[in-house]
Amino acid sequence: MSIINKESIIILLAAGNSERFKSGSKNIEKQFFNIGNKTIFEICLENILSLQLNLKILPVISKKKLNNTKKICKNYNTLPPIIGGETRQESVYKALQKLKNQEIKYVLIHDAARPLLDKDVILELYKNMNNNVSCVAPCLKINDAIRKIEKGSKLRALNKNEYTLIQTPQLCCFSDLLSAHNKLNNDYDDESSLLFDKGYKIKTIQGNRISSKITYFEDLEYLKPHINKSMNNYITKIGIGYDVHRLIKCKPNETNKGIILGGHKIASNYYLHGHSDADVLLHSITDSIYGSLNHLDIGQHFPPTENKWKNSKSSIFLKHSLNELNKREGKIIHIDVVIITEFPKISVHSNKIKSSISKISNISEKRISIKGKTNEGIGFIGRKEGIAVLTNTTIQLKDYES
Ligand code: CTP
Ligand code: MG
């Protein structure tokens, strides 16, 4: 069983106004600053999802940003975002209020201004949580010398070994955190400090400097290479597709029907029978794309029992599967096809078939391989009763799917 308790939830704080970040002449909140074509908020969500914690995420957003953020949250399958408060602490309190009637035992509180997370740190948080502990927080040693500024210019030396830096995510016992919030008098920067002051037991673990917080604009400079690396976190998936359609000999008035393979019509006195245009090749490719996405199959998306798909072009089906791939920001790496038939001779037509598929799908011909094979006269294919197609499609996807 996973160490991560299913009664946990993540509160993702993104309601701040980024005053210090904006002092670097930027007029945008740090969590909505773009790196590449994504905001820090989106990058943070992707990185959380890539850890495959399987926990629900409750984003907390400022009122003015709520509408812009709803769509992003939907794309990343979070809970609907809620409006935060004037301070970080108020934002946490609003989230706790929202969740208080649900059966939540633990809450992971994280700053969206820390887009990079370390799964080992999170596992360690859970390992150290028990019934006697109210909060586990990741901490870092201080490397530099520290001085206390007194009366403007006077500097008093402090022993750095007596101090620690506190990061997020922090794992808190939900009911203790809510009780502590109900007894508030000061403003606290983080949950462990609040809980500690209210007499609850705190544990600290070793954090990771990669989860440092973007506070000033300059902070992005050293985080950027790490953020870019996290955004290139792709996985490869392979989908398989298979389809078969019956070959029918044309009646004298049907001679121009032809055999349609990959949207390319091959003149023949046979045609393929089906509810749609019976393009057995496009069906097989389409199904292999659905397979790589783990997203149903062609018969479920386009039931042959539905009249509206009668005689329809199979390019519609292929385009739908590619649209689903796009929604998940996936890319086709390669499509490899075997057409098993006694006729027509595929090698004669393979370039035209490739070019047709490429035009329909916008996939480079270099990424499409079309091979033909006879069935050595054996079975229904050997008897020229049908054509079968096998396809493997390799895709690349961001690694945040569960
Ligand atoms: N935060 C929040 N609600 C607030 C204030 C802060 O949800 N009212 C969030 C921020 O969006 C950030 C995290 O808490 O993800 C840590 O806060 P901080 O780094 O202080 O961000 P800001 O408050 O936005 O920045 P600043 O203090 O410079 O204004
Ligand atoms: Mg702040």
Side-chain angles (χ1 to χ4, degrees):
M1 205 184 86
S2 163
I3 187 171
I4 296 179
N5 191 299
K6 290 291 169 249
E7 295 156 320
S8 300
I9 198 158
I10 302 175
I11 294 174
L12 185 61
L13 298 170
N17 201 31
S18 308
E19 293 301 337
R20 287 167 288 177
F21 185 83
K22 286 176 179 170
S23 67
S25 81
K26 295 285 155 204
N27 197 22
I28 183 150
E29 290 74 14
K30 55 195 176 189
Q31 59 274 30
F32 298 109
F33 186 81
N34 266 70
I35 293 192
N37 57 355
K38 301 239 165 78
T39 60
I40 294 286
F41 178 63
E42 289 170 285
I43 294 165
C44 187
L45 280 172
E46 282 191 11
N47 284 327
I48 293 175
L49 293 171
S50 75
L51 303 177
Q52 304 197 353
L53 304 171
N54 284 331
L55 299 179
K56 288 190 179 141
I57 304 170
L58 177 64
V60 187
I61 310 288
S62 68
K63 196 173 176 187
K64 65 177 178 188
K65 290 284 180 188
L66 189 70
N67 275 341
N68 293 349
T69 321
K70 276 184 184 158
K71 197 166 169 245
I72 297 176
C73 292
K74 213 170 166 201
N75 283 347
Y76 289 99
N77 212 8
T78 73
L79 294 170
I82 61 158
I83 296 174
E86 285 293 307
T87 61
R88 183 186 179 282
Q89 192 175 274
E90 270 179 51
S91 292
V92 173
Y93 187 59
K94 288 199 167 184
L96 297 177
Q97 286 297 324
K98 177 80 191 169
L99 298 169
K100 71 178 177 194
N101 296 324
Q102 298 182 28
E103 287 194 2
I104 294 170
K105 198 163 178 198
Y106 299 117
V107 60
L108 265 176
I109 305 210
H110 187 58
D111 300 330
R114 300 176 194 270
L116 301 173
L117 298 97
D118 179 347
K119 188 162 185 174
D120 289 340
V121 169
I122 295 177
L123 293 177
E124 210 48 39
L125 293 175
Y126 276 90
K127 269 190 216 156
N128 282 277
M129 178 53 93
N130 61 51
N131 288 341
N132 302 318
V133 172
S134 297
C135 175
V136 189
C139 293
L140 292 177
K141 286 195 172 127
I142 296 173
N143 294 343
D144 301 317
I146 48 172
R147 299 279 184 272
K148 186 172 180 189
I149 304 169
E150 284 172 343
K151 291 198 182 114
S153 57
K154 280 194 181 167
L155 299 176
R156 185 161 65 86
L158 297 177
N159 180 355
K160 62 173 175 284
N161 298 322
E162 290 175 3
Y163 295 84
T164 187
L165 300 173
I166 311 175
Q167 299 184 301
T168 73
Q170 296 187 11
L171 180 64
C172 305
C173 168
F174 187 89
S175 55
D176 291 347
L177 188 60
L178 187 59
S179 308
H181 267 266
N182 287 332
K183 294 183 214 151
L184 266 183
N185 38 13
N186 289 324
D187 188 40
Y188 292 90
D189 282 340
D190 79 296
E191 292 55 58
S192 66
S193 310
L194 161 63
L195 282 159
F196 181 81
D197 267 17
K198 299 294 167 202
Y200 293 91
K201 187 160 183 220
I202 306 301
K203 262 184 128 175
T204 59
I205 61 155
Q206 176 71 32
N208 184 336
R209 282 180 208 277
I210 205 82
S211 299
S212 68
K213 182 162 71 74
I214 302 167
T215 302
Y216 293 94
F217 185 66
E218 307 84 85
D219 296 334
L220 273 178
E221 281 313 305
Y222 70 90
L223 269 187
K224 240 187 207 165
H226 301 287
I227 291 175
N228 282 332
K229 200 169 148 209
S230 81
M231 287 165 81
N232 288 327
N233 189 16
Y234 285 96
I235 50 166
T236 303
K237 289 193 171 188
I238 298 173
I240 185 166
Y242 171 77
D243 197 25
V244 62
H245 277 262
R246 189 180 286 278
L247 277 166
I248 310 271
K249 191 155 175 104
C250 297
K251 293 177 187 146
N253 59 342
E254 285 177 336
T255 41
N256 65 352
K257 273 193 163 184
I259 295 172
I260 300 169
L261 289 176
H264 172 66
K265 191 153 120 181
I266 300 169
S268 173
N269 52 356
Y270 280 78
Y271 67 93
L272 287 169
H273 179 260
H275 184 66
S276 62
D277 64 4
D279 191 330
V280 62
L281 173 53
L282 287 193
H283 295 181
S284 175
I285 295 175
T286 303
D287 236 3
S288 70
I289 295 169
Y290 289 136
S292 67
L293 292 170
N294 201 355
H295 187 44
L296 307 177
D297 63 36
I298 193 167
Q300 286 164 292
H301 287 290
F302 302 98
T305 45
E306 284 183 11
N307 223 18
K308 64 178 166 187
W309 307 121
K310 190 153 177 59
N311 297 327
S312 70
K313 282 191 165 190
S314 298
S315 54
I316 296 173
F317 311 152
L318 178 62
K319 282 178 182 165
H320 177 267
S321 69
L322 290 169
N323 201 26
E324 292 299 311
L325 182 74
N326 264 345
K327 279 194 212 161
R328 292 164 177 72
E329 294 175 63
K331 292 180 207 147
I332 298 274
I333 305 296
H334 195 68
I335 297 173
D336 188 17
V337 160
V338 189
I339 303 172
I340 311 158
T341 186
E342 300 297 319
F343 76 96
K345 197 168 171 53
I346 298 304
S347 57
V348 175
H349 302 279
S350 63
N351 282 344
K352 286 201 170 142
I353 294 173
K354 263 190 208 180
S355 145
S356 166
I357 296 171
S358 174
K359 271 194 199 120
I360 296 167
S361 63
N362 229 354
I363 297 166
S364 156
E365 287 180 40
K366 289 184 188 149
R367 294 185 184 271
I368 304 169
S369 134
I370 305 285
K371 309 188 298 294
K373 194 110 192 107
T374 72
N375 220 32
E376 300 283 337
I378 304 163
F380 75 92
I381 295 175
R383 291 192 297 274
K384 302 178 182 166
E385 290 168 10
I387 297 181
V389 180
L390 274 169
T391 306
N392 265 339
T393 295
T394 314
I395 64 164
Q396 213 173 44
L397 277 180
K398 278 292 276 193
D399 188 12
Y400 56 76
E401 297 194 314
S402 51

